[in-house]
Amino acid sequence: MNKIRTFMLRATVGVFAAGTLAAGLMTAPTAGARTSQDVGRQAVTAQTPVTAQAPVTAQAPVTAQAPFAAQTQRAGLTPAQASELQGRVDGYLAEEPGGRQVSANRIATRGGDLVVAAPGQRYARDLAGPGASGRAPAACAYGHLCLYRPGDSRDYYRCGTYSLPWVGDGTFNNNQTRGTTARFLNSDRSIRWTSRAPQTGTATWTGVFYVVPC
């Protein structure tokens, strides 16, 4: 009887051990097998890498002529002529401290205005104003001192001392208050000649380095 119990106990232990071993084999990963975490990691690394975006091409800078294109078109200037005009304006801006372009061919300066003749204009006329064809000189307003040379004009309406980087011959109109004296100075600021308003005449700008309207 004891032998039978012993045999049955050993058989039960063996069956239990075999079942435990089988369960372990079913749940434990085998060598080279992938767990759910491994699959997840592989899915992440298998994604297509993000490539660097193509660099953004820099936009072309807006030239100073762009805001005044309508004025040059209305005046009948070709793109080449508008570019030529802007080149002359840019040259004056480099010479005029504090100068500011306010139209296609007019610069506001410390002393007044400078107008550059557009291609086809005999006399400098502001393309933003009336009578912009330039077939006749612009009138010099009362209280102003106006200087002219072929292609350009200067209109002074503020007292002060201003440089005049002009050469060649031209004309002037001293239309300031009667008796006001305009002075034209040498390089050392000594007086070269004067004009007492009202007065008009011809002038040689070569040698005149500064203008004192009043």
Side-chain angles (χ1 to χ4, degrees):
M1 188 69 175
N2 292 333
K3 290 182 178 181
I4 294 174
R5 290 177 178 175
T6 302
F7 175 78
M8 292 178 66
L9 180 61
R10 290 177 178 174
T12 301
V13 173
V15 172
F16 177 78
T20 302
L21 178 60
L25 292 174
M26 292 176 65
T27 58
T30 59
R34 295 180 297 175
T35 66
S36 60
Q37 292 181 345
D38 293 331
V39 174
R41 293 192 186 99
Q42 186 177 15
V44 173
T45 57
Q47 293 179 356
T48 303
V50 179
T51 57
Q53 295 182 353
V56 178
T57 304
Q59 296 181 352
V62 178
T63 63
Q65 179 64 23
F68 312 116
Q71 297 172 9
T72 58
Q73 292 172 3
R74 186 171 61 250
L77 301 186
T78 66
Q81 289 174 325
S83 178
E84 175 189 347
L85 174 60
Q86 185 61 46
R88 294 193 60 208
V89 171
D90 290 340
Y92 270 120
L93 287 171
E95 297 175 346
E96 295 286 336
R100 180 172 55 90
Q101 184 175 1
V102 294
S103 81
N105 66 331
R106 181 165 66 92
I107 299 172
T109 67
R110 292 187 301 110
D113 290 326
L114 164 64
V115 181
V116 181
Q121 284 186 334
R122 182 178 180 184
Y123 300 98
R125 300 293 294 272
D126 185 2
L127 294 182
S133 62
R135 289 189 292 268
C140 187
Y142 179 72
H144 293 213
L145 170 66
C146 300
L147 312 183
Y148 308 95
R149 73 168 183 174
D152 307 309
S153 68
R154 289 178 179 269
D155 184 342
Y156 296 99
Y157 47 85
R158 296 188 183 96
C159 294
T161 301
Y162 307 103
S163 63
L164 182 68
W166 276 4
V167 295
D169 298 333
T171 61
F172 71 94
N173 184 351
N174 186 0
N175 198 26
Q176 299 181 94
T177 306
R178 180 174 294 274
T180 301
T181 300
R183 290 168 289 165
F184 299 83
L185 311 182
N186 295 305
S187 59
D188 60 358
R189 304 202 179 202
S190 60
I191 295 178
R192 189 175 186 87
W193 55 281
T194 63
S195 168
R196 187 176 179 87
Q199 185 180 27
T200 61
T202 60
T204 297
W205 303 123
T206 304
V208 177
F209 285 80
Y210 302 97
V211 178
V212 183
C214 52

